[in-house]
Amino acid sequence: TRSRGAAGAVLLPSMLMFGVILASSGLLLMIERGILAQVGPPPLHPPAGLSRRDGRDSTAELELEVLRDTQNRTIRALCGQRSMPRSVWELPPGQRRTVLRHLLVSDKYRFLYCYVPKVACSNWKRILKVLEGALESVDVRGKMDHKSDLVFLGDMKPEEINYRLKHYYKFIFVRNPMERLLSAYRNKFGEIKEYQQKYGAEIVRRYRKNGGNSAGDDVSFSEFLQYLLDEDVERMNEHWMPIYNLCQPCAVTYDFIGSYERLHADANHVLEHIQAPSFVRFPERQAWYKPVTAETLHYYLCNTPRRLLKELLPKYILDFSLFAYPLPNITSQFCRQ
């Protein structure tokens, strides 16, 4: 086994190292040593096959190209393995139901969108309703109805499903897994009574001594993560189920993977590609929305037992690796800052 210093010296410069980590038995050891937390953003030079089109690409554009190339290569490498599903019909029935229930259909604009809760999916659903004429504007206020006026691929016949999977433009939006979990925690247990009663009270009862009288509105982040650690992934609520399990990127070949970090730019790319009318734009963030900042995430992670994070990370490792997100830095040195 390499020493801590030696291991840090030979870190691969690309997020592609996650593909190696994924296939190795040393994942937990590397997390424990904090090695993965030191992996930085993709390199600034383009890999083979990427070129500076006019010599004027900005650093950000090059980083984005490298990131997309990394995602594509990692997905191809993982999904090319013999044991991975090649279509939705190769998935177990429960997993197939999940992904088909999360693929929204626009026959008018010929696209499929796999919605991921806590990754701006409400705004994408607004856009779908506007495109289909069920909503006048994306700026219409009011509680979002997540079922009505939306078409789900899972409600269609097998031949209809196959046709759309083969011929329609398919896209998904992803987010840093730990940031998404924190967003779900703060929203559901801090604001939504239904979640406090259904999940919160049970979590407190299960993990806290004398917690039977809790209304579920005082769940700690550590208690929430412990609950996720003990939960079967396939039975998780969609707001914290891994993106991989929700959208199955090996069984469904997505044409575009957008990210929450570049939300408006990536959303505009999709709207342009599907040739949406010019008056349809991605909505601005609601004034009441409390974003998860880097400082907020740092605070929560550094006040969470390292053992808990170390044990939970493998459950979301496919989201980290396939979508090229660095694992959270939970080293003592970083948390002292």
Side-chain angles (χ1 to χ4, degrees), residues 13-19 39-43 67 70 74 320-321 324-327:
S14 165
M15 300 298 292
L16 284 172
M17 73 174 295
F18 280 119
V39 180
L67 180 66
T70 300
T74 309
F320 282 106
S321 59
Y325 285 108
L327 289 171

Side-chain angles (χ1 to χ4, degrees), residues 305-337:
R306 290 182 65 190
R307 171 203 61 80
L308 184 56
L309 287 171
K310 183 184 74 172
E311 292 177 3
L312 182 64
L313 285 177
K315 216 158 196 173
Y316 292 86
I317 194 62
L318 288 176
D319 286 2
F320 282 106
S321 59
L322 291 181
F323 308 127
Y325 285 108
L327 289 171
N329 193 336
I330 53 173
T331 58
S332 300
Q333 179 182 3
F334 182 74
C335 287
R336 280 196 299 267
Q337 294 177 2

Side-chain angles (χ1 to χ4, degrees), residues 117-120 174-187 221 224-225 239-240 243 259-263 285 289-298 300-301 309 313 316 319-320 325-328:
K118 308 313 297 177
V119 192
V174 300
R175 186 178 187 178
N176 180 300
M178 292 309 301
E179 186 180 301
R180 177 174 169 247
L181 288 182
L182 179 54
S183 178
Y185 163 76
R186 295 209 304 173
N187 172 239
F221 189 56
F224 173 58
L225 296 188
H239 289 84
W240 42 80
I243 298 173
S259 82
Y260 190 83
E261 294 75 23
R262 298 178 302 276
L263 184 56
R285 178 184 290 160
Y289 181 75
K290 298 176 184 176
V292 174
T293 65
E295 292 76 20
T296 306
L297 184 61
H298 177 273
Y300 275 93
L301 292 181
L309 287 171
L313 285 177
Y316 292 86
D319 286 2
F320 282 106
Y325 285 108
L327 289 171

Side-chain angles (χ1 to χ4, degrees), residues 149-209:
D149 301 315
L150 294 169
V151 179
F152 297 84
L153 194 61
D155 293 333
M156 296 183 169
K157 298 174 182 177
E159 60 270 21
E160 296 173 327
I161 292 172
N162 286 336
Y163 177 84
R164 285 159 180 79
L165 285 171
K166 182 177 180 180
H167 296 287
Y168 282 19
Y169 180 71
K170 299 173 288 296
F171 69 93
I172 177 179
F173 273 71
V174 300
R175 186 178 187 178
N176 180 300
M178 292 309 301
E179 186 180 301
R180 177 174 169 247
L181 288 182
L182 179 54
S183 178
Y185 163 76
R186 295 209 304 173
N187 172 239
K188 300 307 175 188
F189 299 110
E191 302 171 6
I192 312 296
K193 199 163 191 117
E194 176 189 348
Y195 276 77
Q196 293 169 358
Q197 294 173 342
K198 182 175 181 178
Y199 294 99
E202 168 62 19
I203 291 172
V204 172
R205 185 193 64 76
R206 191 186 299 183
Y207 299 111
R208 193 185 305 173
K209 286 184 179 179

Side-chain angles (χ1 to χ4, degrees), residues 194-266:
E194 176 189 348
Y195 276 77
Q196 293 169 358
Q197 294 173 342
K198 182 175 181 178
Y199 294 99
E202 168 62 19
I203 291 172
V204 172
R205 185 193 64 76
R206 191 186 299 183
Y207 299 111
R208 193 185 305 173
K209 286 184 179 179
N210 304 317
N213 296 323
S214 171
D217 57 353
D218 60 342
V219 179
S220 73
F221 189 56
S222 294
E223 288 170 337
F224 173 58
L225 296 188
Q226 183 64 55
Y227 167 72
L228 298 183
L229 180 61
D230 294 339
E231 188 79 347
D232 177 13
V233 167
E234 295 301 330
R235 297 169 60 86
M236 283 183 175
N237 179 279
E238 62 176 9
H239 289 84
W240 42 80
M241 182 182 283
I243 298 173
Y244 178 89
N245 299 82
L246 289 173
C247 294
Q248 295 290 344
C250 288
V252 178
T253 305
Y254 291 97
D255 300 291
F256 183 75
I257 299 174
S259 82
Y260 190 83
E261 294 75 23
R262 298 178 302 276
L263 184 56
H264 280 273
D266 285 355

